[in-house]
Amino acid sequence: MRIHDQAAVVQFEYGDAWVVSARGSYDMYSITPLAEALDTAAEAHRKVVLDASGITFGDSTLLNLLILTHHKADLRVAAPTQQVRRLLEITGADTLLKVRATVAEAAAC
């Protein structure tokens, strides 16, 4: 059984993008708050940035959420942690998603 880091989601506007900043660990047991935030953001905003700098763990559940959100909006992933970057690289999702080093770069592209 996995002990989760306290997951938290904060949202804010950055230029013409909507930023969803995620902190903590995300799997099938903890993904709901992030999924709801990204779904709401994708419905209301054309450009959505996921600030992934605080994600300590993500599995296929997170990956699936990112791909689904990508189909609903112009999703960019900003500042992914090494674990998230590795997940994107080994699955090839980094070729599908716009991955940038910072929120500012992600919002600008």
Side-chain angles (χ1 to χ4, degrees):
M1 186 160 120
R2 182 166 172 76
I3 298 173
H4 297 283
D5 298 336
Q6 185 68 14
V9 177
V10 175
Q11 302 180 59
F12 56 94
E13 191 171 8
Y14 189 101
D16 66 343
W18 189 257
V19 178
V20 176
S21 181
R23 302 283 179 260
S25 178
Y26 293 96
D27 62 16
M28 65 187 281
Y29 301 107
S30 60
I31 199 75
T32 302
L34 180 57
E36 290 173 351
L38 286 174
D39 189 52
T40 300
E43 288 177 7
H45 305 278
R46 184 186 65 78
K47 189 187 304 185
V48 177
V49 175
L50 172 64
D51 176 1
S53 63
I55 298 177
T56 56
F57 174 81
D59 65 5
S60 60
T61 308
L62 175 64
L63 182 63
N64 185 54
L65 174 60
L66 297 180
I67 292 169
L68 290 173
T69 305
H70 166 75
H71 290 295
K72 295 178 186 175
D74 186 3
L75 176 67
R76 294 97 190 282
V77 179
T81 59
Q82 185 173 358
Q83 195 276 331
V84 173
R85 183 173 292 281
R86 178 85 173 125
L87 176 67
L88 297 176
E89 289 172 355
I90 64 174
T91 60
D94 62 333
T95 63
L96 174 69
L97 302 173
K98 295 176 183 171
V99 181
R100 301 295 185 262
T102 67
V103 170
E105 287 178 28
C109 73

